[in-house]
Amino acid sequence: MTADKRRYIVTAIRGVLVLTGAAVTVAVLYSLSTMPTASSSGDSFVRGLSYLFGSVFFVLALGGAGLGIALPSLLGAEDTLAFDRWQRRCLKGAGVLFVGGFVVGLVVGLLTQLQFGLLLWLVAIVLGVLVVSCVLVWRLFAVFVTALVRLIAAETGE
């Protein structure tokens, strides 16, 4: 497979993961925020289940978007966001949390009870999303500092 074809495939998969994750996240947040209030007739159980499943879908959608951002670092492909070496290492760690959390959660769920494995996997996804978010903020800050240094250098004539 040529490098251009591989880059195209990775970019397409990344785009699908990030856009789908973002769209599902927004849709879940909108549906949970516009849910009618519970009446006193006792439908709080159904409402609680909808919040529980909505939260699980929210975490999974964020995990999909985070995996999409970390995907080029996991595969060793070129990244258009130009992460540096340490940022790519952090993204690889987030990818290990996403994929490894699933494997460990599955094993724990099969050996003990399934809900413990699911909880472990969801916690790993949340940690992975936090790592990806921190790396994105780190990269944004690096771009800001680089632009500021260039602006100052242009102003002083250096």
Side-chain angles (χ1 to χ4, degrees):
M1 183 181 311
T2 64
D4 288 336
K5 193 173 190 179
R6 181 178 180 200
R7 187 176 327 149
Y8 175 74
I9 291 171
V10 169
T11 303
I13 293 171
R14 181 184 205 181
V16 167
L17 283 172
V18 171
L19 291 176
T20 304
V24 170
T25 299
V26 169
V28 167
L29 283 177
Y30 177 75
S31 67
L32 288 178
S33 67
T34 59
M35 192 180 305
T37 59
S39 64
S40 61
S41 64
D43 61 348
S44 61
F45 178 74
V46 174
R47 185 174 176 83
L49 277 180
S50 63
Y51 277 126
L52 176 69
F53 285 111
S55 300
V56 169
F57 285 135
F58 175 76
V59 170
L60 290 176
L62 278 179
L67 183 62
I69 293 171
L71 189 64
S73 296
L74 286 173
L75 299 176
E78 287 293 320
D79 196 358
T80 57
L81 297 177
F83 292 115
D84 67 10
R85 185 179 74 157
W86 291 104
Q87 291 166 344
R88 283 193 306 270
R89 281 192 178 178
C90 290
L91 288 175
K92 286 179 185 177
V96 167
L97 282 170
F98 293 132
V99 178
F102 174 73
V103 172
V104 170
L106 185 63
V107 169
V108 167
L110 291 175
L111 293 178
T112 60
Q113 291 181 353
L114 191 59
Q115 66 265 25
F116 294 141
L118 179 65
L119 180 66
L120 183 65
W121 183 40
L122 292 176
V123 168
I125 288 174
V126 168
L127 290 175
V129 167
L130 286 174
V131 170
V132 169
S133 299
C134 289
V135 168
L136 288 175
V137 169
W138 180 7
R139 179 66 187 134
L140 185 64
F141 184 72
V143 167
F144 174 73
V145 168
T146 303
L148 189 63
V149 167
R150 286 184 184 164
L151 181 68
I152 291 172
E155 292 288 325
T156 60
E158 292 181 10

